[in-house]
Amino acid sequence: MSNSTTTIALVEDDHAGELLTLRRAAFVTEAQLYDDPNIPPLTQTLAELREDLARDDVVTIGAWEGHRMIGSVRVEIEGEKATLGRLAVAPDKQGRGIGTEMLFAVLPFLPEQTTEIWVFTGKDSKQNLAMYTKHGYEEQYDKAAGDLTYTYLRRVLGAAGAQPAPRQG
């Protein structure tokens, strides 16, 4: 897990450049896995990212160590459904529980009426799929998007268990 100096907060427009840099660094390995340098996290422009951050139906949170953004996740809200995307962790910080921390850190930012969280990742992204299933997400279906096939997973939030604490250690 990340250390106690990690701060979780909403990503504001003044952090857009740093967020763009973090996502590009984090998604290079995914692009290499699929032999596709044109995956959306690598082609999004700064202007598009700023538009996304300004949307009322999107929440983007970040994890910082000091002044450095080391993780982020984007959540699109649609009625009772939240869809997580672009979960990114700085390459030198991967494997330390920050991605897991981001999965749980997003829960307090969701509207009260949220009943389910969806996430999608590349079908061949075995580490991502393992992390999501470990934390209660169940595979629902696969969907092709161009040359990529995404696996969609869902986690139903229970009334009492909607915000479990992240595992420490």
Side-chain angles (χ1 to χ4, degrees), residues 1-4 100-101 165-169:
M1 184 65 61
S2 60
N3 64 41
S4 61
T100 296
E101 185 175 4
R167 188 175 60 81
Q168 299 294 318

Side-chain angles (χ1 to χ4, degrees), residues 2-19:
S2 60
N3 64 41
S4 61
T5 62
T6 302
T7 303
I8 305 290
L10 287 172
V11 176
E12 302 290 341
D13 185 78
D14 60 337
H15 292 286
E18 188 175 8
L19 176 59

Side-chain angles (χ1 to χ4, degrees), residues 48-59 74 76-77:
E48 291 168 339
L49 177 61
R50 284 195 154 119
E51 287 175 18
D52 196 58
L53 289 173
R55 288 176 50 183
D56 290 336
D57 62 337
V58 171
V59 174
R74 175 193 186 276
E76 186 168 359
I77 309 297

Side-chain angles (χ1 to χ4, degrees), residues 19-169:
L19 176 59
L20 189 67
T21 301
L22 169 68
R23 285 184 180 168
R24 287 185 176 168
F27 278 93
V28 165
T29 53
E30 197 82 352
Q32 291 170 332
L33 175 65
Y34 293 99
D35 194 29
D36 184 357
N38 297 309
I39 61 174
L42 297 182
T43 60
Q44 184 178 39
T45 67
L46 183 58
E48 291 168 339
L49 177 61
R50 284 195 154 119
E51 287 175 18
D52 196 58
L53 289 173
R55 288 176 50 183
D56 290 336
D57 62 337
V58 171
V59 174
T60 302
I61 62 169
W64 282 265
E65 276 186 359
H67 295 293
R68 179 183 177 210
M69 186 184 298
I70 59 167
S72 72
V73 66
R74 175 193 186 276
V75 184
E76 186 168 359
I77 309 297
E78 187 178 352
E80 297 178 351
K81 174 183 168 184
T83 303
L84 303 185
R86 308 234 171 139
L87 177 62
V89 176
D92 64 316
K93 299 292 183 177
Q94 292 176 3
R96 299 181 188 187
I98 296 165
T100 296
E101 185 175 4
M102 299 304 297
L103 281 180
F104 290 103
V106 76
L107 294 173
F109 293 93
L110 299 177
E112 191 175 306
Q113 73 269 16
T114 305
T115 60
E116 61 185 11
I117 303 175
W118 286 77
V119 66
F120 60 94
T121 190
K123 183 171 181 55
D124 296 328
S125 300
K126 301 301 180 200
Q127 286 182 313
N128 295 349
L129 290 167
M131 177 183 66
Y132 295 131
T133 55
K134 178 181 177 179
H135 296 296
Y137 289 81
E138 296 179 359
E139 291 188 29
Q140 301 296 309
Y141 62 89
D142 293 339
K143 182 178 179 181
D147 292 336
L148 295 177
T149 299
Y150 292 104
T151 296
Y152 286 77
L153 302 95
R154 179 180 70 159
R155 179 172 169 226
V156 175
L157 299 177
Q163 297 184 22
R167 188 175 60 81
Q168 299 294 318

